[in-house]
Amino acid sequence: LKNNPKTLLNKFSSVFGLFFSTVASCIAINFTASDQYLALVVPGKMYEKAYREKGLAPENLSRTLEDSGTVTSVLIPWNTCGAYHSGTLGVSVLDYAIYAMFSWLSPIMTLIFAAFSIKIKQLVTKTPTLDTIGEE
């Protein structure tokens, strides 16, 4: 990314682009780092501010990380999750991947929901009233 962490964030200006970038980052880290937890933590920290700046509730980022970072890890043979599942089941990842429909459909459904703004929560800013002044 040419030593500029904002490069990936600047490529997409729309809400859909932000979701797409998050999904792509999670899957890419699953492939390269071979660890599901890194595929959640790194994009989570990387995109936290961007979601807030777009006026999106943190639940959107959390759900997108889960839908793309967690569930796709079992589809990658060299990922810790893929290796564990393959060893436990006694079959290769490629043999069971076709049956793991949730794992490969989940990121696709996330992008469809983002494209059509389905279940995309906005940040709720509370306007202070006389009853809520001083509460925090």
Side-chain angles (χ1 to χ4, degrees):
L1 299 177
K2 295 187 182 177
N3 297 331
N4 185 359
K6 291 242 180 213
T7 302
L8 193 56
L9 293 172
N10 291 335
K11 285 208 179 288
F12 303 105
S13 59
S14 67
V15 170
F16 174 79
L18 183 58
F19 276 77
F20 181 83
S21 183
T22 306
V23 168
S25 295
C26 288
I27 293 171
I29 292 173
N30 260 331
F31 263 85
T32 58
S34 301
D35 188 67
Q36 168 188 0
Y37 300 107
L38 287 175
L40 300 174
V41 173
V42 173
K45 290 293 185 187
M46 189 167 97
Y47 292 109
E48 181 180 15
K49 186 177 176 186
Y51 274 73
R52 197 174 328 117
E53 287 174 355
K54 289 277 187 205
L56 299 170
E59 297 93 89
N60 295 300
L61 175 57
S62 176
R63 188 182 67 228
T64 305
L65 293 171
E66 175 70 24
D67 292 348
S68 57
T70 302
V71 301
T72 60
S73 62
V74 298
L75 300 175
I76 301 164
W78 55 89
N79 189 294
T80 53
C81 294
Y84 174 79
H85 283 80
S86 177
T88 302
L89 293 171
V91 296
S92 75
V93 172
L94 295 177
D95 288 339
Y96 73 72
I98 190 73
Y99 301 105
M101 287 183 265
F102 177 75
S103 294
W104 46 268
L105 279 177
S106 187
I108 295 168
M109 291 306 297
T110 295
L111 294 176
I112 290 171
F113 274 50
F116 293 104
S117 296
I118 301 169
K119 299 283 187 183
I120 305 299
K121 288 188 75 171
Q122 301 299 312
L123 271 177
V124 177
T125 55
K126 295 181 180 178
T127 307
T129 64
L130 291 175
D131 297 332
T132 61
I133 292 177
E135 291 181 8
E136 295 220 10

